[in-house]
Amino acid sequence: MVYNRLKTLLTKNKKKVKDAAKIAGYAENSFKVAVEDGTMSFSKVPILCEFIGITPNEFFGWESTPIGGGNYASHISGGNTQNSNEVIQALMTELKEKTGIIKEKDKQINRLLTIIERNKFK
């Protein structure tokens, strides 16, 4: 889903997937996989956003609710790079935390399914 949105944003901004992949340090096919399964390093997000001319909000498909109010587009395109980096870092930290929680819940579900399967035939 993220990859399709990214591809649409690239097309809208007259950029090519292969160029975005190169900027992020991936071959085109590996880039798609890394974006889709979430294994791409979060440090690549600001680089890709700058290349495409979008905000991290647009990259992830989030609503525009930046830390401290305002909107990301005007905040990031403004001259205050320090604050922009802080916002991006805060977003990346939040996303990592949520991703970690989801992965842990998936592990718990898989453990429970394994237990259910084992007990099914007893």
Side-chain angles (χ1 to χ4, degrees), residues 73-85:
S74 64
H75 180 78
I76 290 176
S77 64
N80 195 339
T81 307
Q82 171 108 17
N83 287 341
S84 297
N85 287 336

Side-chain angles (χ1 to χ4, degrees), residues 61-77:
W62 295 334
E63 291 184 26
S64 185
T65 312
I67 299 165
N71 70 53
Y72 288 119
S74 64
H75 180 78
I76 290 176
S77 64

Side-chain angles (χ1 to χ4, degrees), residues 5 10 55 62 64 68 76 98 100 103 105 116:
R5 181 176 39 259
L10 284 163
T55 65
W62 295 334
S64 185
I76 290 176
K98 289 181 180 180
K103 286 181 180 179
K105 295 290 182 193
I116 291 168

